[in-house]
Amino acid sequence: MSMTSEKKCRIADCQIAVIGTIKSIDCIKAELKQPGFKHIHIISPSDEMTMPGKVDIIVENVNEGNSCLSKDATIPLILSFDFVNGAGAIVVMPYDEKDMLRKPKFRQWAATYMAGYCAFWNVEGCDWLRDSLSDIRNGVTSSAALKTAAHMCARIAANIAVGREVKHFPRFYLCKNLELV
């Protein structure tokens, strides 16, 4: 993505929440700094989830089933998932339905939802996700998948910030693990 000064300003001023596990925080912060997100605020799972006015990014431990996200969120949410052999992301825009944020075992729900969608629509290249479902149910994680998810989230966040169209729920993003250094 080419970065004009206007795009850099839009990224610096944008408010987006990226939600992932505690394990993903460092990867997400590093990836978000590359396109120019500056004010990255971390909320721990024990904190009440509020949307501070001057915060660009909020990371919370939602994938472990502790979702205290407000249904009244007025900024885009990017939900980041480590799917062991790859990664997934769901974007929830302020006007989208947010009931799915209250699903128990959210990571497992998202993987099953995405794998089912891929199977129903015969989407190519999703076999890795179906093959990962038992590992996901057993709580297995992968550092490669965390890095892939963080990279995806940073790209999605930058696209939202500069006004590009992004897929949002019920659509989603999937990617087999990238070879990131």
Side-chain angles (χ1 to χ4, degrees):
M1 163 185 328
S2 63
M3 297 295 279
T4 64
S5 59
E6 179 187 348
K7 286 180 182 176
K8 288 177 184 175
C9 287
R10 291 176 96 182
I11 286 172
D13 292 340
C14 186
Q15 291 185 354
I16 298 170
V18 179
I19 296 102
T21 63
I22 295 299
K23 292 179 182 179
S24 67
I25 289 173
D26 290 336
C27 293
I28 291 173
K29 282 173 51 176
E31 287 290 332
L32 288 169
K33 286 180 181 180
Q34 289 182 20
F37 289 97
K38 295 182 188 324
H39 308 289
I40 301 171
H41 181 70
I42 308 303
I43 294 179
S44 76
S46 60
D47 293 339
E48 286 299 314
M49 182 65 174
T50 57
M51 296 295 182
K54 294 293 182 186
V55 173
D56 296 330
I57 309 299
I58 300 165
V59 179
E60 183 200 5
N61 186 9
V62 170
N63 292 342
E64 300 300 322
N66 179 11
S67 178
C68 51
L69 274 175
S70 167
K71 288 180 73 171
D72 302 324
T74 58
I75 60 176
L77 308 174
I78 303 172
L79 307 159
S80 169
F81 300 100
D82 159 1
F83 289 150
V84 185
N85 295 309
I90 295 175
V91 176
V92 181
M93 298 306 267
Y95 49 82
D96 289 340
E97 177 59 47
K98 294 176 183 64
D99 285 343
M100 58 94 165
L101 295 173
R102 303 279 183 225
K103 299 277 186 194
K105 299 182 180 178
F106 195 55
R107 176 182 180 232
Q108 184 176 329
W109 173 85
T112 303
Y113 167 76
M114 292 177 191
Y117 182 99
C118 290
F120 182 82
W121 292 106
N122 295 317
V123 177
E124 297 282 326
C126 294
D127 293 343
W128 64 266
L129 179 57
R130 187 184 64 245
D131 295 342
S132 300
L133 288 175
S134 65
D135 284 340
I136 293 165
R137 277 190 292 274
N138 291 323
V140 175
T141 61
S142 159
S143 60
L146 291 173
K147 290 177 185 175
T148 300
H151 182 75
M152 288 172 59
C153 288
R155 297 285 303 206
I156 295 166
N159 283 331
I160 291 170
V162 300
R164 291 192 177 116
E165 188 172 327
V166 296
K167 297 188 281 188
H168 56 95
F169 191 75
R171 295 166 44 206
F172 52 85
Y173 293 87
L174 275 179
C175 182
K176 193 171 179 179
N177 282 339
L178 302 172
E179 298 295 326
L180 299 171
V181 219

